[in-house]
Amino acid sequence: MKFICGSDEHGVPITIKAKKEGITPQQVVDKYHKMMAASFKEFGISFDIYSRTSNKVHHETASEFFKTLYDKKIFTEEITEHYFDEKANQFLADRYIVGTCPKCGNENAYGDQCEKCGSTLSPTDLINPKSTLSGEKPVLRKTKNWFLPLDKMQSQIEKYIESHKDWKVNVYGQCKSWLDQKLQPRAMTRDLDWGVKVPLKDAEGKVLYVWFDAPIGYISATKELFASHAELGSASANNKTLKQVQGDSQEWKKYWQDKDTRLVHFIGKDNIVFHCIIFPAMLMAHGDYVLPDNVPANEFLNLEGDKISTSRNWAVWLHEYLKEFPNKQDVLRYVLTSNAPETKDNDFTWKDFQQKNNSELVAILGNFVNRTMVLTQKYFENKVPPAEEFTKGDVLLMEEMSRFPKKISSSLDSFKFREALAEMMNLARAGNKYLAENEPWKLSDQKRIGSVLNICLQVCANLAVACEPFLPNTSVSLSSILNIGKLNWRDAGRTDILKTGHQLGTAKLLFDKIEDAVIEKQVAKLQESRTQNPESNTTMTNATIDDFKKLDIRVGRIIEANDFPEAKKPAYKLKIDFGKETGMKNSSAQITKNYTKEQLKGKLILAVVNFPPRKVGPFVSEVLTLGVPDKNNETVLVEPGKDVEVGGKLS
Ligand SMILES: [Zn+2]
């Protein structure tokens, strides 16, 4: 088994970022590749190779792949018209064209999308198009590109997807919906100067489409992996050709061209179509390769109820996290795994982070290990006592111990990482419960105390193995507390890992409590970036009926309105009654210009009641009252026109 990963370093957004920062695209990708590789390492995420698509080996591999398809006459050539900037002397990618949105009149809509109204656009839809490179009006010019005829491959791809009904529902469903809409030919080349050059004579100024070259990156990285290992990671490796780093090794083929190879892609849902339809279509067309066997894609993870966005700084940056939570990599790993959006979108909140740390890692896992160690020190001078004569309860726990490895590995094998992690925690929970029920500190029979603690210590040793895939640092700490070397998975389930008389190491707390103030600081930091990036509130994408159903919007009656002197902008503190089901909620509202406190009292309004509570200074705003701006851009509350019942749900 090999874990292959890498940075995808081509595509238009990188060239835009480079222009913005006044540096070259290469400098952009150098910076981010280094940052990402460092973060993976810091957080205990390891690969057999972490490569990048700007490497020479990759350019060679991708261009050879394209050439093979070209020679097999797979592509269709099509001449289409695209906007061209005569001053900058180049074709313009959709994102390089701005103009007025024909749907909403926004003057800064992009060639592919209006971020104000969320419409998907084509560059020729824009009124008054302008090039962002020169500010000039672009002209339409003919250009030739090479298309992968996905339409002709429809039935072949359908057959492939239908043979994978075992895939996760969200993945299979998305593929089905693409296929139902009928596949269209897709251009595999672009008029752009950043990327893998199209290896054809009449293709000057063209590169491979980023989603053509990026997945081939997995193949290139595998080639590099089996190349001379001394070269890997060295600064010079990036510029070496395949021949130079690989010699004649064909070892990589075993992982790509042997029919028994199982290829699995771990990705997010926005990349499903590329890994499940386009890449397999490319591999089918080539003919020498195995197809992805599974693509257990995750859905999206949001942050405090809002879509994560690095450009708006609505994110938790790993390097900042490490500074603020030193040595707590495993806490973040734990929370992310237990919250992983495996089947639907999920939300990361700081409150939940604190709660999972305090009431699971500290209270269950950490507490169990610590109590076991302290008691062993007290009664047996920190040596493993012998276990004699087992009670029914002892046997039950030992049976549970021997059962858990199979449970965890079968969950992992079916990509149910949350479930696997929960099984690990269940073992700690069982240990905790056993200790509480047996109360060795109340016993006088030394033999019995010894048996209880021996079993608890065996559970600790098993936890050191069981937590390794999820909490690698904790696994190391726990092994050192127990004074044992690194255990193997095959040791898991054994009830005699620690021998009688074994000298244990020094007890120390595996996790510590995270206080409210620490969490409040993180929430405030995020809110700060929200005020600094107000456009975040106007960015729209198409919503689905499911998105709408997620919102719990209810009628409430304002019971109290009070001044809010601590707020940054003039606001009231409202107390709103939402009836039996939802109860009384607090909310802050910037509506002082349009309403007096007296006018607000008794008013019926609408509010979203299921957003996570938001800190506004010293006050917690629990619901979001709905309002619209008047002509002075001051908020007017949305009120139900007729007298409706408090607590009524918008539908
Ligand atoms: Zn628009």
Side-chain angles (χ1 to χ4, degrees), residues 320-341:
E320 287 180 12
Y321 173 89
L322 272 188
K323 253 187 238 153
E324 286 153 27
F325 297 93
N327 301 318
K328 288 202 192 309
Q329 288 93 329
D330 280 5
V331 179
L332 188 61
R333 290 180 60 117
Y334 181 78
V335 175
L336 289 176
T337 308
S338 62
N339 255 346

Side-chain angles (χ1 to χ4, degrees), residues 373 376 382-384 457 481-483 498 502-506:
M373 288 300 293
T376 312
N382 221 18
K383 287 198 178 84
V384 177
L457 286 164
I481 288 173
L482 298 172
N483 190 28
L498 299 170
H502 171 77
Q503 179 70 54
L504 299 166
T506 320

Side-chain angles (χ1 to χ4, degrees), residues 232 508 569 638:
L232 290 180
K508 69 168 190 174
K569 288 182 188 159
V638 174

Side-chain angles (χ1 to χ4, degrees), residues 100-107 109 113-119 121:
T100 304
C101 170
K103 308 245 167 79
C104 76
N106 167 27
E107 289 176 13
Q113 194 191 37
C114 170
E115 294 200 334
K116 188 120 184 234
C117 70
S119 309
L121 302 171

Side-chain angles (χ1 to χ4, degrees), residues 240-353:
K240 298 249 162 124
T241 64
L242 187 57
K243 199 83 190 155
Q244 281 168 311
V245 294
Q246 183 181 274
D248 289 320
S249 168
Q250 298 294 309
E251 187 71 7
W252 67 272
K253 285 191 175 165
K254 207 168 78 191
Y255 290 88
W256 284 96
Q257 303 189 347
D258 183 319
K259 65 173 179 23
D260 293 328
T261 295
R262 205 168 157 233
L263 172 62
V264 180
H265 291 295
F266 294 93
I267 55 157
K269 77 166 159 194
D270 47 340
N271 291 343
I272 289 176
V273 61
F274 302 109
H275 287 80
C276 298
I277 293 182
I278 298 177
F279 188 43
M282 290 161 54
L283 296 169
M284 287 173 194
H286 188 291
D288 289 348
Y289 288 86
V290 296
L291 303 178
D293 182 63
N294 208 329
V295 185
N298 275 331
E299 299 286 290
F300 288 145
L301 184 71
N302 294 319
L303 173 58
E304 301 279 354
D306 204 349
K307 198 174 166 185
I308 289 176
S309 160
T310 52
S311 60
R312 303 190 263 120
N313 203 22
W314 192 256
V316 176
W317 296 94
L318 292 179
H319 60 278
E320 287 180 12
Y321 173 89
L322 272 188
K323 253 187 238 153
E324 286 153 27
F325 297 93
N327 301 318
K328 288 202 192 309
Q329 288 93 329
D330 280 5
V331 179
L332 188 61
R333 290 180 60 117
Y334 181 78
V335 175
L336 289 176
T337 308
S338 62
N339 255 346
E342 288 179 355
T343 50
K344 58 178 175 50
D345 289 358
N346 221 338
D347 203 24
F348 175 93
T349 68
W350 281 108
K351 196 79 207 149
D352 177 62
F353 169 86

Side-chain angles (χ1 to χ4, degrees), residues 18 68 87 115 154 163 214 218 259 296 305 421 504 527 534 552 632:
T68 304
K87 203 163 172 188
E115 294 200 334
Q154 170 100 17
S163 72
Y218 303 124
K259 65 173 179 23
L421 180 70
L504 299 166
Q527 294 306 339
D552 191 358
N632 302 317

